[in-house]
Amino acid sequence: MTLLSKIRVGLLSTLILSTTFTALPAQAEPTPPAPTPSIRAGDLIAFDTDGKLWDYRPSGETTWSRHQIGSGWNVMRDLKTVDWNQDYIEDIIAVGKNGDLHLYLGKREGGFIRTTIGTGWGSYDISVGQWKVSDEYPSIIAVNLDTEILYNYPNLSGGALSPRVIEGRGWSRSLQHQLLDYDFDGKADILAQQSATGKLLRYRTDGNGNFINEPRPVVGTGWSVMNEVAAYSGYQGDGLICNCPTQITHPGLLARTHDGILYYYGLWDGKWSTPDRIGTGWNGYTFAGSESPRRFSY
């Protein structure tokens, strides 16, 4: 090695030995913003005759706060709120007056993404919820009012509907149905309101999409005074948004009288609680049903 080479090696060694390497401090992962969806579980959703969509959020034992979350909704004739894709953000299923079936997927930051998932639904009366215990996602129970056939439209992906399955016949226009778990056994029931008699009949299932062969018990009378009834879970805010699938809530029914008074009838272990009078002046509103049993633990 030449003298010049030795000098270069010596300088390089001195530089390496005299250099101190300091690790940069670890950067904390940024905390994601809290979700601010337009709808929380337990909110009451309704649109008025002007097409304004309103969110009524429980803010106490007997008070509600109202926020407009949409416009142009008077082109719809029916809507349900549900966590359709099980992401803990509430969505909307809506039937248009033109017969189109729409899915409004809720966004974490508020607002919705709309997709048309069906056509030809003009003659159908729908409920939305978990039909089978094994279902990963809620699905649609629908009656064709022309043929009186009851169908289940499975939702196998949290998006589009799968081919329908016949579940029953003889479901005439005089039977208005609501899907909910009447007795907290984790299995879907249908409550059918007989318009002629005002009776509520209970149709139990075995949890696998089959009706139990038994007489249909009467679980309510005097319902002919109501001109609109819808299943409703999470009343008074016991369904607040969070990543907690074991959260507890109770099902019940919203019911509006012919003179526009809106009541809530809660269910507790198969018994009706004393109805709460929500308010008056509701005849100009179409309100959403809400029943998502998979989200909650009984």
Side-chain angles (χ1 to χ4, degrees), residues 87-121:
D87 65 350
Y88 301 100
I89 304 296
E90 292 296 293
D91 312 306
I92 297 176
I93 298 289
V95 181
K97 293 178 181 178
N98 64 355
D100 288 348
L101 182 69
H102 302 288
L103 166 64
Y104 291 78
L105 285 176
K107 298 189 292 185
R108 285 178 57 88
E109 67 275 16
F112 304 92
I113 299 173
R114 188 178 92 160
T115 305
T116 300
I117 58 175
T119 58
W121 286 75

Side-chain angles (χ1 to χ4, degrees), residues 6 24 37 42 53 56 133 136 154 188-189 204 264 271 295:
K6 291 180 179 179
L24 294 175
L53 185 66
Y56 291 82
V133 173
E136 183 177 358
D189 301 309
R204 288 198 305 157
Y264 172 71
K271 298 179 181 179
R295 291 247 347 238

